[in-house]
Amino acid sequence: MYDIYKELNKIIDYIEENILEEIDINYLSRMSGLNINMLKNIFTCLAGISISEYIRYRRLSLATHDILNGESITDVALKYHYSSLSSFTRSYKNFSDIAPKDIKNNHNLKMFNRIVFRESINDYNLEYKIQSVEFNLYGVSKRIPLEQSYKYAKAFWEEVKNMIPEFNEKTRYGFLYCDEEIAEYYCLLDEPFANSKKRHIPKQKYFIYTIPNESSHFISNSIRKGISEYIKSLNYTYVDMPTMEIYRDNEVEIYIPIA
């Protein structure tokens, strides 16, 4: 039985593995077993963008990573098959609303994540920033079961907010520390309160993005996706340090440690 999602994901694999090469859409058509017009139409219908746009957005997303890591803008433009620096600059500004020369000074960057085709596709167009941050926080913690830890973390947050008034008034910090089958969840503030313990997290580079402050399950799934998909799409690797959740009004900032 023909599985369109499986065939499209093979095409995505090929694009990602050959992102620095010229990619022939006719070859992608032969890979999928679909004629070229049908492939283009199905891809656009399911992904919301064309194959050519996907390739361009992925190259521009990776270009951001390369420039942040010290590669020259001219070298990056050539690397991703732009005929001139001006055409690369124009394309990049259309993609992210900033010029490549401003990447290192801008705290809100844009990426287009690698697509995984399934029945529902979303969260591939993401604003993010890369920053090195050190945390000095004060809080309380509780050991919780690792399985469905988000449910126990939510209950602990409610318990802490009921017992400690400061947690209803200030920016809140949280993270889950896992050790084999036991997990410990931390609820923290940036200043001491009664019976709090200091928690120092050394300076570390983070991939940072913002999501709505919805259910604990939603937040947990977003972190999982950030680690398994977002950072890998930019060639970063996950560092075994706390992934921070910073709660502000109706939003949560997620800090994923990277190298």
Side-chain angles (χ1 to χ4, degrees):
M1 182 176 177
Y2 189 83
D3 186 337
I4 187 62
Y5 298 121
K6 181 178 180 180
E7 296 305 319
L8 290 174
N9 283 326
K10 285 181 183 177
I11 287 174
I12 294 296
D13 289 343
Y14 179 85
I15 290 171
E16 295 295 329
E17 290 166 7
N18 295 276
I19 200 72
L20 299 181
E21 311 298 330
E22 291 285 355
I23 296 173
D24 182 359
I25 296 180
N26 286 296
Y27 179 73
L28 301 182
S29 170
R30 293 194 295 273
M31 278 182 63
S32 68
L34 300 170
N35 71 56
I36 191 165
N37 289 330
M38 183 175 291
L39 172 62
K40 287 180 177 179
N41 289 337
I42 291 174
F43 191 102
T44 301
C45 180
L46 292 176
I49 59 171
S50 70
I51 297 174
S52 297
E53 286 175 318
Y54 176 76
I55 294 169
R56 182 167 70 254
Y57 291 171
R58 289 295 297 129
R59 285 174 171 167
L60 292 170
S61 296
L62 292 168
T64 304
H65 171 269
D66 295 340
I67 292 168
L68 283 173
N69 284 342
E71 293 187 39
S72 75
I73 296 173
T74 300
D75 287 346
V76 170
L78 293 172
K79 180 178 181 178
Y80 292 109
H81 299 275
Y82 284 86
S83 58
S84 67
L85 183 58
S86 61
S87 64
F88 174 70
T89 299
R90 183 167 56 253
S91 183
Y92 193 88
K93 287 181 76 173
N94 287 336
F95 171 69
S96 67
D97 297 325
I98 64 170
K101 66 182 178 62
D102 296 323
I103 287 174
K104 291 184 179 180
N105 299 320
N106 196 286
H107 294 312
N108 291 301
L109 303 171
K110 185 176 178 180
M111 69 170 284
F112 196 88
N113 188 35
R114 172 180 176 149
I115 283 179
V116 178
F117 280 96
R118 45 188 173 241
E119 291 185 6
S120 175
I121 298 178
N122 51 36
D123 295 338
Y124 288 97
N125 204 4
L126 184 75
E127 290 190 357
Y128 72 98
K129 52 190 174 184
I130 304 292
Q131 287 183 352
S132 293
V133 184
E134 176 183 14
F135 291 98
N136 286 297
L137 302 170
Y138 304 84
V140 292
S141 65
K142 182 176 184 178
R143 288 232 160 181
I144 59 176
L146 185 55
E147 186 176 350
Q148 294 189 319
S149 57
Y150 64 90
K151 289 185 178 180
Y152 298 95
K154 178 183 178 181
F156 184 46
W157 268 123
E158 294 303 318
E159 179 184 330
V160 168
K161 287 192 288 184
N162 286 334
M163 293 176 58
I164 306 169
E166 291 92 332
F167 277 88
N168 297 292
E169 304 162 359
K170 301 179 182 297
T171 298
R172 300 180 285 125
Y173 301 75
F175 70 84
L176 181 69
Y177 174 79
C178 299
D179 180 11
E180 296 181 355
E181 295 184 359
I182 298 296
E184 188 161 3
Y185 192 83
Y186 289 79
C187 297
L188 308 111
L189 298 175
D190 57 10
E191 58 186 43
F193 56 89
N195 300 316
S196 64
K197 292 183 179 180
K198 185 174 181 179
R199 179 78 185 195
H200 172 69
I201 300 174
K203 193 172 185 178
Q204 168 63 39
K205 182 189 288 187
Y206 290 93
F207 175 89
I208 306 165
Y209 62 100
T210 302
I211 60 174
N213 186 0
E214 296 187 5
S215 69
S216 56
H217 192 201
F218 174 83
I219 294 167
S220 176
N221 282 341
S222 178
I223 291 173
R224 191 176 298 111
K225 188 169 185 176
I227 293 171
S228 65
E229 295 184 23
Y230 295 159
I231 64 173
K232 288 183 178 179
S233 286
L234 295 174
N235 294 333
Y236 289 111
T237 56
Y238 176 69
V239 174
D240 188 15
M241 289 183 66
T243 294
M244 300 296 299
E245 308 151 19
I246 303 181
Y247 295 82
R248 295 190 176 95
D249 297 325
N250 296 318
E251 295 181 334
V252 184
E253 262 192 323
I254 305 299
Y255 282 59
I256 298 177
I258 57 171

